Amino acid sequence: MSNKRKLILASLILCIGLIFWGYLYTFHSEHRNISEEKAVAEFNAFELLNKFKQSNTNLHSSANQVIMVVGSVTTIEQNIIVLNDIVQINLLEDIDTSILHGTSITIKGRCVGYDELLEVVKIDQAIIITK
Amino acid sequence: MNLKLSVLGLLTIMAMATLKAQTKYIDKSGVIKFEASEALFEPVKAVNNSVTAILNVESGEFASLALMQGFHFQNSLMEEHFNENYIESETYPKAIFKGSLLNYNHSQLSETPIEVEIDGKLNLRKKEKNVRTILLVQKVDDSIIIKGSFSVSPSDFDIDIPKIVANKIAKEVVINLNFKLVAK
């Protein structure tokens, strides 16, 4: 095989590889695994709400970040827990029966943002760390 | 006599308080799906499972809020582009709808869905769009179930679709909603 042919073959393989990588990157990129990401900060429920209420602009550093929140359970519904009536958490799994109203827990999840209709901060893809 | 009167008064106040509390129905985990798919291309659709909806059953006033970061796409890259390039959810984190159910009569509700017209304004990216559509409303046990759909277009909210993907994203975005509201 001549050098020219080898070169053509090598670039062809490279091209196919790139196209395949591009395809995987575009259509099969993995979603974030929030439960395995490290939390960037820890707040109690009131601190978290205040952070959102104080920021005058809509821009907020905590949104879309993984955080830990400590609080007292005030509402339990299927896979939703509300802490101190001000932080609403959608859990990845159903809630086990040992969690009752008034239980103090720590959760880790992704901060979605501030909901001004209910005046709560919403968190999703959360897991319970301690109870 | 006095005691009886005060007990009666107290009961009346309590009854009124209960009545007042029950004028607001809330869903804090409502579902909104949108789809802007074009045939033959990868589906462009997402779902948000933690949408807030509030209905005042006395006045028919209705409000709903969806956080943009709460929309999940099957394709994670699409989700990233939606947040960073199209909606710019860091700057514009939410969509709010405020409006009224027209001629809403709470006592007419039953398990059979009835058609109720809603008129209001959808606010996203500091742009407002009038939305008027027919919803199906029913009462099951103690909750009010509201379902419906309407469509908007990206240009209504100044969302620029680059030419390179323009034929893969529909001009009309269909939005489906499904709420289950309970008395607060």
Side-chain angles (χ1 to χ4, degrees):
Chain A
M1 211 157 44
S2 73
N3 271 346
K4 200 177 168 190
R5 281 197 164 184
K6 272 186 196 163
L7 195 70
I8 292 174
L9 195 69
S11 18
L12 211 66
I13 291 170
L14 193 72
C15 273
I16 292 170
L18 271 175
I19 290 168
F20 188 64
W21 175 84
Y23 166 79
L24 285 182
Y25 176 73
T26 312
F27 297 104
H28 295 280
S29 287
E30 293 227 336
H31 277 273
R32 295 168 71 183
N33 188 341
I34 303 294
S35 52
E36 278 178 13
E37 273 185 44
K38 213 171 167 231
V40 295
E42 186 176 341
F43 305 104
N44 72 42
F46 297 99
E47 284 168 353
L48 183 63
L49 183 75
N50 281 338
K51 273 196 80 164
F52 276 94
K53 278 197 156 172
Q54 276 165 9
S55 60
N56 294 322
T57 63
N58 287 328
L59 275 168
H60 201 273
S61 59
S62 284
N64 204 27
Q65 288 191 331
V66 178
I67 54 168
M68 295 220 273
V69 186
V70 188
S72 165
V73 176
T74 47
T75 305
I76 305 168
E77 278 171 27
Q78 288 167 3
N79 66 335
I80 294 175
I81 276 183
V82 181
L83 299 181
N84 302 92
D85 288 323
I86 51 175
V87 180
Q88 180 186 323
I89 294 141
N90 285 50
L91 291 156
L92 284 171
E93 290 166 0
D94 282 346
I95 298 153
D96 73 69
T97 47
S98 66
I99 292 172
L100 305 166
H101 286 253
T103 311
S104 180
I105 61 166
T106 305
I107 64 94
K108 183 177 85 172
R110 185 188 68 128
C111 188
V112 188
Y114 177 64
D115 180 332
E116 66 195 41
L117 284 184
L118 294 179
E119 298 184 314
V120 298
V121 178
K122 288 193 170 178
I123 287 175
D124 72 1
Q125 300 170 62
I127 52 168
I128 292 169
I129 304 285
T130 57
K131 39 187 185 237
Chain B
M1 187 62 187
N2 253 346
L3 185 70
K4 260 188 190 169
L5 267 180
S6 46
V7 168
L8 197 68
L10 199 68
L11 280 176
T12 319
I13 290 166
M14 277 167 70
M16 278 168 71
T18 334
L19 274 178
K20 193 161 185 277
Q22 279 179 346
T23 60
K24 263 190 183 172
Y25 278 65
I26 289 181
D27 185 358
K28 50 178 174 281
S29 54
V31 179
I32 285 185
K33 291 179 188 169
F34 76 78
E35 177 148 15
S37 304
E38 283 285 26
L40 303 179
F41 288 106
E42 194 188 10
V44 180
K45 56 181 180 182
V47 58
N48 187 333
N49 292 316
S50 56
V51 179
T52 298
I54 300 179
L55 171 67
N56 182 327
V57 294
E58 265 184 9
S59 63
E61 280 174 299
F62 179 86
S64 179
L65 184 150
L67 291 166
M68 291 299 113
Q69 293 276 8
F71 280 100
H72 292 290
F73 292 72
Q74 208 180 355
N75 182 326
S76 68
L77 200 64
M78 210 184 269
E79 187 170 314
E80 203 179 301
H81 289 168
F82 169 78
N83 281 304
E84 287 175 10
N85 305 350
Y86 299 113
I87 292 292
E88 298 171 274
S89 55
E90 242 186 74
T91 321
Y92 311 107
K94 63 199 163 220
I96 298 185
F97 174 86
K98 281 183 182 161
S100 290
L101 293 168
L102 306 177
N103 304 318
Y104 178 75
N105 187 343
H106 190 57
S107 56
Q108 272 182 355
L109 289 189
S110 69
E111 285 206 13
T112 322
I114 53 165
E115 290 188 345
V116 180
E117 195 168 19
I118 188 164
D119 185 42
K121 286 187 167 71
L122 178 64
N123 197 309
L124 171 65
R125 292 169 51 89
K126 296 216 166 109
K127 294 273 174 273
E128 233 171 28
K129 155 104 179 158
N130 246 18
V131 174
R132 201 178 171 111
T133 185
I134 305 277
L135 301 173
L136 284 176
V137 185
Q138 67 187 118
K139 195 172 185 209
V140 176
D141 298 325
D142 286 330
S143 47
I144 300 173
I145 293 172
I146 299 179
K147 289 177 187 168
S149 71
F150 61 94
S151 41
V152 294
S153 79
S155 57
D156 292 335
F157 305 100
D158 271 0
I159 298 169
D160 282 331
I161 309 287
K163 273 203 180 115
I164 193 162
V165 292
N167 59 345
K168 296 175 187 163
I169 300 174
K171 304 285 171 287
E172 285 284 290
V173 182
V174 180
I175 296 161
N176 263 291
L177 54 97
N178 192 341
F179 297 131
K180 186 181 180 196
L181 303 103
V182 290
K184 198 191 178 185

